[in-house]
Amino acid sequence: MENKHYNMFEIFRGFIAIAIAIFVAFILILICADDPGKALECLLIKPIISNGALNTKSIFTILARMTPIIFTGLAVCVMFSANQFNLGGEGAVMLGGFVAALLGIYIPMASGVHILVAVLAGTIMGGLIMIIPAVIKVKLKASEMVCSLMMNYVIMYIILHFLNNVFADRSKGATQTYPFLNTAIIPKIIPTSELSWGFAIAILATVIVAYFMYRTRWGYSIRMIGINESFSKYSGMKVGSIIVLSQVIGGMLSGMGGAIEILGRENAFKWLDLPGYGWTGITVAILAKNNPIMIPFAALFISYLNRGCELMSIYAGVPAEMIDIIQAVIFLFFAAEHFLSGTRQKIVVKDAKEELHKKELATSGEGGNA
Amino acid sequence: MSDNNLVVQMKGIAKVYPNGVAANQGVDFNVMRGEIHALMGENGAGKSTLMKMLFGLEQPTEGEIIINGEKVSLSSPTVAISKGIGMVHQHFMLVPSLTVAENMVLGMEPKQGNKLFINYKKAVEITEEYSKKYNLFVDPHAKVRDIPVGMKQKVEILKALVRGAKILILDEPTAVLTTQETEELFKELIHLKEQGYTLIFISHKLNEIKQITDRLTIMRGGKSMGVHETANISKEEISRLMVGRDVVLTVEKEKAEPTDVVLSVRNLEYTNEWNKKMLDKMSFDVRKGEILGIAGVEGNGQRELVEMLFNLNVPDNGLAKVNGKNILGRPQREIRDMGVSLIPEDRMTFGIAGAGTIEENLMSDRASEKKYNNGLLFNLKAMHEDSDELIKDYKVLCKSRRQPVGMLSGGNIQKVVVAREFSSEPVLIIADQPTRGIDVGATEFIRKKLVELSREGAAVLLVSADLNEVMELSDSLIIMYNGKIAAYFEDTSVLNDTIMGEYMLGLKQQDAEEIRGVLHGE
Amino acid sequence: MFHQLVDMVFSASFGYSIIRITSPILFAALAAVVAEKGGVVNIGLEGIMMISALFGVLFSYWTNSWLIGVVGAVVIGVLVAMIMAVFALKLKTDIILAGIAINLLGGGGTVFLLYLFTGLKGNTASLTTPNMLTPKVNIPLLKDIPVIGQIFSGHSVLTYVAFLLVILVWVLLYKTAMGLRIRAVGENPNAADSVGVSVLKTQYIALAISGALAGLGGAYMSMYYSQSWNIGIVAGRGFIALAAQAMGQGEPVGAMLSSLLFGFASALGNKMEGMQGFSSYLVASIPYAVTIIGLVIYAMSTIKKVKRFKDSDK
């Protein structure tokens, strides 16, 4: 089966890309770490095993950090599937987090309901804001990419304005809001760790998005539009509406990610800059090849590396920002269609030849019945 | 024959595209110095692929190419050009926003003394010089987007000559030309031949081939069917080699008994973005139970007509109704809900989503229907069942419904499109070039299905540049010329190539009264 | 308050700051123009500027020469653009994704590189010496004209380079063989290919030029505007440049006008910040909002143009 050949080949390619990235990391570590052996240990092993035992605390941290990037990864996955290069995830995350935070601080509600309402509000705001680039794209054919990029900054500055001038808790040294009401804080799965039930919601969201993309007419339309917009239009799909829908869903997922991150990991709104999860979400989606089910695995990988880089910076003096270099390298190779394409062409030619051969056998066998 | 006379030798050429399509298999192709050599074959026979390899645009998977006795590896057009090969493409390789002179010198720009800036005056001079030398008149200062097709073609030929081409490949050069322009082109080509140039002329028009070529090579199904002296081979023989004797061209069909008007088009007008009138007061009716064919040389408004009827473009004026309801400017969903199906001419752009599975492609017009949904989720069972049935009924050669449709052969891709379009219980089927570039088996299958559906009561509008097809399948027939109906034939059995040709090339035109026969409604 | 604003807008110092703020965006917008003309969307401008800004400082620090610093920034800009080009053009990474990867490098990667080379974390303020900054140029005669002199004289040497480059880029695109090839490749790559103009090579060159221009923009930021490098130094200017390119219809002069519009909005914001009753944060968002509005207006006008054309046919 030729499909099997391709799939195996794709997996092989992915591994090579990751291997190259890790190799680059090794070289960088060799150059700048005082004790490269220790640095490598921090990067690869320490995130899960320290002093010969499972490092549960660190493992929970890794899982906790997966949460927001699963959401943004899913968001990118939906938008990129529709071929919409909306890069507004950053802004939507921050906005979702901010709105959820305000509700968590100022509107007392029953426990249980409070979290639900706050997260939903963040989700909805994230979705609403994405209507702007989406509608501009559909109605005016202006680039959703440029528009969403600009929007990130507008959102950030508006939030900073409100944070500094309206909602700031002046009793604190750093700029932040008043603390969330207890009813609004998402409980931890493991009490002493960073890991909240938000993680479970992220996994649930993954399943829902996977179902949405592959088992519903809307997800189907999104994918078809992404593959071939003209075809979708000709087939009778409402292309404009679906394009808007894909970006709104992307915004909702990002907004939800922001809300859950804020209420699950922090006790007050403290973001003074775009949080970066939107960009990481793109890396995650690329690693997952836009397949929702693969998003948590990709997020785990990035989160693990992230933790490793952090430990490396604490114990081996290698700046944690190395993660960005590793990410960039993986990203570039993973998305490179012609990376190792010579090998792929050989597979194609071989398959085509086999097929021709089979066909010839078949026709000669039929004795010209056709 | 001594090898010295052979300027081009291609031996045992095979080409497999990355999508797995084997376009050429073991092709041998020879051209002699100073001849006009025809390369013939139906669409999809592999002639374009072969020529792309000769021009360095594609590389052969197997085989060797020898130019002037020297074995060469034509890794790019640059290499091909340096070996004296030039190509005039069917889709012009011109940059619209640049002037004729700029297009002429692109890649070999004359410089000012300081080597930095383009010497535009020199570019104009070069253009004028070659223009005069070869009797190919062009306006060096005009922007290419503003000049007529005939002139664009001349620019293309000049471009090849100015780059020192001695062997000129012309890919269906007459497809876009008027009769007069064609005659002019032939004079120019013969002029070139007399000056010692070698010309490879790709075409499937028998008369043209007979008129100007010395020898011809026929291709079929990616293989060469041999080389012949043009003078020594009859049109019938060429036709037999091109089409193949095993193909039964006559499709059995009962006499049509058309009833009510389904599609009614009145005074449809459209002017394209270059201000060319593509549709000029088109009016016709298609009735239930009949196949109305639209024949004509490509580019006479057929494509635009189909685009209007499926809202892929907006007309300037006119009406089009299906069972009394307007379809112009309506969303495709609504048009489809009225029972209209379209087999699009450009199947890769409109017909399929290549990376999608066969099933996803079969379901594209109906995925929202109740039948395929249980509440929010798809009813996968219904989808799988119906897809498998369609794959079986339409004999789509594939491994499973999960296979990406883009990996299928052209014929099977078209069967997927047809399976979808024919299975939606259409009242009107618009079939635009339904068998272009696909294998004989699939062609026959699709044609039979088309007849079958019309006899079951669908109205069929068949647009085809394939004369055989349009004459065999149609019950009655329109010939389009210059955006207008040049002729209408109630009964296609009285037709032959000659009559068709005269109308298609604009030599003849029926009077208004005869054409009005196509209007069956009010 | 309104009066205050009007007075300010008509002051010479306001004109001066428009030009000062416009310069880096202009470099990047020209970079976007050249890439786009060659048929490549260079979304990696942001990252290239970040990396070049850093290396500009480092080179000038190592050599104690601002000139070498600027040259270094340009070379690095070209190099990074070439990395992007290899992936996007040769290995067929989607050009937008390749750009995003370059921006990742520009974001965290620069912090890492800074540490690698100097051991510093986060910014280079401690390295800065006067020799490392690009000098201000007072233009003889012009500087003595009232108002005009105050607005147009006394800018960084790079500012004059930026505006000069508008003309140079125009000449490059419309008067040289390379420009002809870049435009041909961007508009109809098949046509270029068929006459032996290598699409790949031409796009490499377009991206290299784009990288060099963005590199100058980076150098301007760290070696003049902010006087040192820090992680937030480029702050979306690479993205704004993309918007300026789009608004300017992909032409050098149009891109300059759009950049000036952004510079105006930004300068206005800066001035308002100092006044009572304006939130510095809201004001900071103005340029970005203006860019969105500008894009919308431009898009609306193009759509209307098409409609008018259709209507005039009837």
Side-chain angles (χ1 to χ4, degrees):
Chain A
M1 293 264 295
E2 60 200 46
N3 288 357
K4 212 166 84 191
H5 276 157
Y6 282 117
N7 290 342
M8 271 166 47
F9 177 72
E10 286 301 319
I11 292 168
F12 168 71
R13 237 161 51 125
F15 271 112
I16 298 283
I18 291 170
I20 291 175
I22 303 277
F23 179 72
V24 169
F26 281 2
I27 295 195
L28 291 176
I29 288 168
L30 282 178
I31 296 171
C32 77
D34 306 328
D35 179 354
K38 190 170 177 200
L40 278 180
E41 191 205 331
C42 287
L43 176 65
L44 298 178
I45 299 167
K46 217 165 175 155
I48 45 169
I49 296 169
S50 78
N51 303 327
L54 270 188
N55 187 347
T56 44
K57 187 160 185 289
S58 173
I59 290 174
F60 290 136
T61 306
I62 291 172
L63 294 179
R65 286 185 188 166
M66 281 168 65
T67 310
I69 57 177
I70 287 178
F71 279 107
T72 51
L74 290 171
V76 172
C77 174
V78 173
M79 296 189 291
F80 280 21
S81 290
N83 222 3
Q84 299 305 303
F85 283 102
N86 183 318
L87 306 179
E90 284 287 280
V93 168
M94 194 169 181
L95 184 63
F98 189 64
V99 169
L102 291 184
L103 285 172
I105 299 162
Y106 294 102
I107 320 278
M109 275 177 261
S111 66
V113 181
H114 203 170
I115 296 169
L116 194 71
V117 171
V119 169
L120 269 182
T123 308
I124 291 169
M125 276 311 290
L128 285 178
I129 199 74
M130 289 298 202
I131 292 178
I132 297 172
V135 168
I136 288 178
K137 164 72 176 273
V138 170
K139 292 281 170 203
L140 302 175
K141 310 239 178 304
S143 154
E144 77 281 8
M145 187 180 80
V146 175
C147 181
S148 58
L149 279 170
M150 295 294 109
M151 212 173 66
N152 286 340
Y153 290 96
V154 176
I155 291 171
M156 176 185 80
Y157 282 117
I158 292 177
I159 289 175
L160 287 180
H161 161 72
F162 282 107
L163 179 60
N164 279 280
N165 299 338
V166 185
F167 300 113
D169 179 356
R170 303 280 175 211
S171 66
K172 295 285 194 300
T175 309
Q176 65 177 73
T177 60
Y178 292 96
F180 306 140
L181 299 171
N182 277 335
T183 48
I185 292 174
I186 299 173
K188 303 278 188 277
I189 298 180
I190 312 290
T192 53
S193 71
E194 293 179 47
L195 186 62
S196 79
W197 282 99
F199 180 75
I201 303 176
I203 299 297
L204 186 67
T206 305
V207 176
I208 292 174
V209 170
Y211 261 89
F212 174 80
M213 291 300 286
Y214 286 90
R215 293 279 191 276
T216 73
R217 42 199 183 273
W218 304 284
Y220 165 81
S221 299
I222 285 175
R223 288 186 298 116
M224 291 304 120
I225 287 169
I227 299 173
N228 185 343
E229 199 176 313
S230 305
F231 161 78
S232 307
K233 183 178 170 204
Y234 144 88
S235 292
M237 298 176 199
K238 294 182 173 114
V239 174
S241 317
I242 296 288
I243 286 178
V244 173
L245 177 74
S246 71
Q247 298 187 45
V248 167
I249 289 175
M252 287 172 72
L253 285 164
S254 303
M256 184 182 263
I260 285 176
E261 177 68 2
I262 276 288
L263 299 179
R265 289 261 296 271
E266 313 275 354
N267 58 3
F269 188 88
K270 297 170 181 169
W271 291 342
L272 301 179
D273 200 348
L274 293 167
Y277 299 131
W279 294 112
T280 312
I282 297 174
T283 314
V284 170
I286 298 292
L287 282 176
K289 298 248 165 207
N290 280 345
N291 181 351
I293 286 297
M294 296 307 288
I295 293 277
F297 298 100
L300 173 65
F301 178 73
I302 294 293
S303 188
Y304 189 105
L305 278 181
N306 196 328
R307 177 70 183 153
C309 286
E310 185 185 56
L311 292 171
M312 221 164 46
S313 80
I314 297 171
Y315 297 107
V318 179
E321 280 81 4
M322 198 175 83
I323 180 78
D324 288 325
I325 296 181
I326 300 178
Q327 268 195 55
V329 174
I330 296 180
F331 199 126
L332 283 170
F333 280 103
F334 233 80
E337 278 176 29
H338 281 196
F339 176 47
L340 301 176
S341 63
T343 325
R344 183 164 54 182
Q345 172 67 6
K346 274 181 206 150
I347 296 177
V348 174
V349 171
K350 208 177 119 214
D351 279 351
K353 271 193 185 160
E354 275 170 15
E355 202 141 302
L356 269 179
H357 186 63
K358 261 189 248 159
K359 252 191 211 163
E360 265 160 30
L361 283 182
T363 41
S364 63
E366 280 170 19
N369 277 350
Chain B
M1 167 198 325
S2 111
D3 271 9
N4 291 339
N5 275 327
L6 294 178
V7 283
V8 176
Q9 287 173 276
M10 297 177 85
K11 292 182 179 169
I13 302 289
K15 174 70 186 174
V16 180
Y17 280 108
N19 64 3
V21 173
N24 278 185
Q25 303 162 42
V27 176
D28 291 325
F29 180 66
N30 298 318
V31 182
M32 289 194 290
R33 193 181 313 283
E35 71 168 336
I36 302 185
H37 190 114
L39 181 59
M40 306 186 64
E42 289 188 294
N43 282 310
K47 356 178 253 285
S48 288
T49 302
L50 189 69
M51 288 303 104
K52 278 181 185 165
M53 287 186 278
L54 184 55
F55 191 56
L57 286 167
E58 301 280 356
Q59 277 65 53
T61 319
E62 276 171 27
E64 59 181 31
I65 301 174
I66 298 162
I67 305 294
N68 291 322
E70 175 201 1
K71 193 180 163 196
V72 293
S73 162
L74 302 171
S75 53
S76 75
T78 321
V79 179
I81 291 167
S82 74
K83 302 287 173 199
I85 300 168
M87 182 157 181
V88 176
H89 301 263
Q90 199 179 357
H91 302 285
F92 297 134
M93 296 291 184
L94 299 169
V95 186
S97 76
L98 305 187
T99 65
V100 169
E102 282 176 326
N103 268 287
M104 279 288 289
V105 300
L106 181 62
M108 46 171 284
E109 303 83 358
K111 308 277 169 58
Q112 306 267 18
N114 55 24
K115 301 268 177 217
L116 206 55
F117 300 111
I118 288 191
N119 187 339
Y120 185 68
K121 225 175 104 192
K122 188 81 196 290
V124 172
E125 279 168 24
I126 293 174
T127 310
E128 280 167 345
E129 181 199 325
Y130 273 79
S131 178
K132 206 173 280 172
K133 183 168 166 196
Y134 294 102
N135 275 334
L136 294 157
F137 172 74
V138 294
D139 174 4
H141 296 287
K143 287 214 163 123
V144 163
R145 64 164 170 249
D146 301 327
I147 63 178
V149 175
M151 194 187 281
K152 282 183 185 151
Q153 191 166 57
K154 290 186 182 127
V155 177
E156 282 281 47
I157 297 173
L158 285 171
K159 263 173 66 187
L161 295 175
V162 81
R163 282 167 180 75
K166 294 281 176 240
I167 305 159
L168 212 52
I169 307 166
L170 298 134
D171 189 1
E172 298 196 29
T174 60
V176 290
L177 300 182
T178 62
T179 322
Q180 201 188 357
E181 283 173 329
T182 302
E183 286 306 318
E184 209 179 310
L185 174 72
F186 285 178
K187 269 185 215 142
E188 290 153 6
L189 294 185
I190 288 166
H191 184 64
L192 282 172
K193 177 186 157 185
E194 283 163 358
Q195 298 193 26
Y197 288 88
T198 306
L199 303 167
I200 301 172
F201 186 85
I202 304 180
S203 177
H204 41 220
K205 295 181 184 167
L206 294 176
N207 292 332
E208 294 178 355
I209 302 279
K210 276 287 189 187
Q211 190 182 341
I212 67 158
T213 69
D214 302 304
R215 294 196 309 155
L216 54 88
T217 298
I218 297 171
M219 286 189 74
R220 190 166 99 205
K223 293 180 178 157
S224 168
M225 305 301 290
V227 55
H228 304 268
E229 302 278 337
T230 308
N232 299 341
I233 185 168
S234 68
K235 286 185 189 174
E236 290 72 24
E237 182 68 4
I238 297 174
S239 171
R240 192 185 62 77
L241 286 169
M242 255 172 80
V243 184
R245 111 181 67 203
D246 40 313
V247 187
V248 186
L249 277 172
T250 39
V251 175
E252 304 267 328
K253 67 173 202 244
E254 302 154 31
K255 197 169 160 30
E257 281 162 11
T259 54
D260 308 338
V261 171
V262 175
L263 171 69
S264 129
V265 174
R266 291 292 178 274
N267 297 320
L268 204 60
E269 286 188 285
Y270 174 69
T271 310
N272 73 7
E273 55 198 294
W274 295 284
N275 248 330
K276 184 168 178 199
K277 196 145 203 143
M278 295 311 293
L279 293 176
D280 192 356
K281 297 218 154 87
M282 279 285 288
S283 297
F284 63 90
D285 287 325
V286 188
R287 290 169 295 176
K288 193 169 155 50
E290 76 170 343
I291 300 179
L292 176 69
I294 294 190
V297 176
E298 265 179 82
N300 278 290
Q302 300 97 312
R303 170 181 299 175
E304 287 75 10
L305 172 67
V306 173
E307 282 175 357
M308 302 301 152
L309 295 180
F310 220 71
N311 193 24
L312 298 168
N313 205 333
V314 188
D316 304 332
N317 246 320
L319 289 172
K321 289 179 177 173
V322 169
N323 288 328
K325 276 160 90 183
N326 172 43
I327 56 167
L328 293 179
R330 306 308 305 164
Q332 282 80 14
R333 177 75 270 150
E334 214 173 284
I335 296 174
R336 284 186 177 275
D337 287 344
M338 286 181 214
V340 183
S341 271
L342 169 65
I343 300 171
E345 176 200 2
D346 185 348
R347 79 179 74 98
M348 300 313 273
T349 305
F350 290 103
I352 58 156
T357 65
I358 294 172
E359 178 174 34
E360 285 166 346
N361 276 278
L362 286 170
M363 292 291 141
S364 71
D365 64 331
R366 62 199 65 166
S368 298
E369 282 173 18
K370 262 208 185 103
K371 183 180 177 192
Y372 298 110
N373 288 279
N374 288 328
L376 292 177
L377 296 182
F378 274 151
N379 179 352
L380 287 183
K381 197 166 155 262
M383 282 192 163
H384 294 342
E385 278 174 12
D386 286 8
S387 304
D388 286 340
E389 203 180 306
L390 284 174
I391 289 170
K392 205 172 122 235
D393 285 356
Y394 286 84
K395 302 191 168 68
V396 180
L397 216 72
C398 62
K399 278 154 192 152
S400 84
R401 59 175 130 78
R402 281 188 209 92
Q403 206 179 351
V405 77
M407 313 236 313
L408 301 178
S409 71
N412 282 298
I413 288 177
Q414 188 71 339
K415 281 186 195 166
V416 171
V417 175
V418 166
R420 180 184 63 227
E421 297 303 320
F422 285 1
S423 60
S424 59
E425 295 169 13
V427 297
L428 170 68
I429 298 168
I430 304 169
D432 192 2
Q433 318 292 355
T435 63
R436 166 169 294 177
I438 64 178
D439 61 278
V440 174
T443 300
E444 198 183 351
F445 180 83
I446 289 169
R447 287 180 183 170
K448 275 188 180 153
K449 273 280 177 190
L450 210 52
V451 171
E452 199 180 303
L453 279 163
S454 84
R455 295 305 173 259
E456 284 166 10
V460 177
L461 180 65
L462 170 70
V463 180
S464 179
D466 180 338
L467 271 192
N468 274 331
E469 175 167 275
V470 81
M471 286 166 74
E472 285 300 327
L473 295 189
S474 307
D475 299 310
S476 39
L477 187 138
I478 287 172
I479 298 172
M480 276 184 81
Y481 181 74
N482 241 342
K484 287 185 202 158
I485 298 179
Y488 168 68
F489 299 97
E490 175 88 51
D491 180 5
T492 50
S493 61
V494 304
L495 284 172
N496 62 40
D497 290 21
T498 328
I499 303 177
M500 296 279 289
E502 283 170 350
Y503 286 105
M504 283 168 68
L505 299 173
L507 303 175
K508 272 181 158 184
Q509 161 85 34
Q510 285 182 353
D511 61 40
E513 197 51 45
E514 281 173 288
I515 291 171
R516 210 164 294 140
V518 73
L519 306 180
H520 306 286
E522 64 278 15
Chain C
M1 198 163 72
F2 185 68
H3 265 291
Q4 227 181 330
L5 209 60
V6 172
D7 287 348
M8 183 203 72
V9 168
F10 287 102
S11 71
S13 75
F14 186 69
Y16 180 86
S17 61
I18 290 178
I19 289 176
R20 182 182 128 89
I21 295 168
T22 300
S23 306
I25 296 155
L26 182 52
F27 278 122
L30 289 173
V33 165
V34 175
E36 188 80 30
K37 277 275 186 228
V40 194
V41 185
N42 188 354
I43 189 187
L45 288 173
E46 181 84 5
I48 297 176
M49 283 174 87
M50 279 296 284
I51 298 168
S52 286
L54 174 65
F55 278 94
V57 169
L58 292 179
F59 281 118
S60 63
Y61 172 68
W62 290 327
T63 61
N64 201 26
S65 150
W66 65 268
L67 190 60
I68 296 178
V70 171
V71 172
V74 169
V75 170
I76 292 292
V78 172
L79 243 130
V80 178
M82 284 303 93
I83 293 176
M84 194 171 140
V86 168
F87 278 96
L89 304 177
K90 188 160 166 46
L91 297 175
K92 300 287 172 205
T93 301
D94 185 288
I95 185 75
I96 292 178
L97 298 181
I100 293 172
I102 295 299
N103 292 340
L104 272 174
L105 276 180
T110 44
V111 177
F112 183 84
L113 291 172
L114 174 63
Y115 177 80
L116 196 66
F117 286 115
T118 66
L120 290 173
K121 293 196 173 167
N123 75 72
T124 66
S126 59
L127 302 179
T128 308
T129 63
N131 281 347
M132 288 163 57
L133 300 178
T134 63
K136 287 189 182 186
V137 180
N138 284 311
I139 299 175
L141 296 178
L142 183 77
K143 74 177 187 332
D144 301 323
I145 306 171
V147 186
I148 304 276
Q150 284 167 289
I151 294 176
F152 293 104
S153 182
H155 288 283
S156 160
V157 62
L158 287 182
T159 293
Y160 300 105
V161 172
F163 284 88
L164 195 66
L165 274 170
V166 177
I167 302 166
L168 290 182
V169 167
W170 183 85
V171 169
L172 168 82
L173 288 174
Y174 291 99
K175 293 291 160 196
T176 70
M178 187 42 66
L180 184 72
R181 290 175 184 198
I182 289 176
R183 288 186 293 139
V185 162
E187 191 174 337
N188 187 351
N190 292 330
D193 193 45
S194 75
V195 291
V197 171
S198 162
V199 175
L200 221 57
K201 189 178 139 198
T202 310
Q203 290 186 328
Y204 270 108
I205 292 171
L207 268 177
I209 296 171
S210 183
L213 290 166
L216 283 169
Y220 181 91
M221 287 313 297
S222 63
M223 298 170 65
Y224 178 73
Y225 195 91
S226 298
Q227 315 237 321
S228 67
W229 183 90
N230 66 69
I231 181 76
I233 192 171
V234 179
R237 285 180 176 82
F239 299 137
I240 290 166
L242 289 176
Q245 182 275 339
M247 268 199 284
Q249 313 196 8
E251 297 299 327
V253 176
M256 179 185 76
L257 296 176
S258 310
S259 302
L260 280 167
L261 174 71
F262 181 87
F264 175 81
S266 212
L268 192 67
N270 288 352
K271 294 280 168 177
M272 280 157 74
E273 235 178 274
M275 293 181 200
Q276 278 268 300
F278 289 107
S279 153
S280 59
Y281 294 104
L282 285 185
V283 161
S285 76
I286 289 176
Y288 303 97
V290 165
T291 309
I292 296 178
I293 295 166
L295 264 185
V296 168
I297 293 172
Y298 168 61
M300 275 162 68
S301 70
T302 15
I303 284 183
K304 268 200 195 125
K305 231 184 274 167
V306 173
K307 267 195 192 142
R308 251 204 311 276
F309 179 80
K310 276 293 314 178
D311 290 345
S312 69
D313 278 355
K314 286 183 186 173

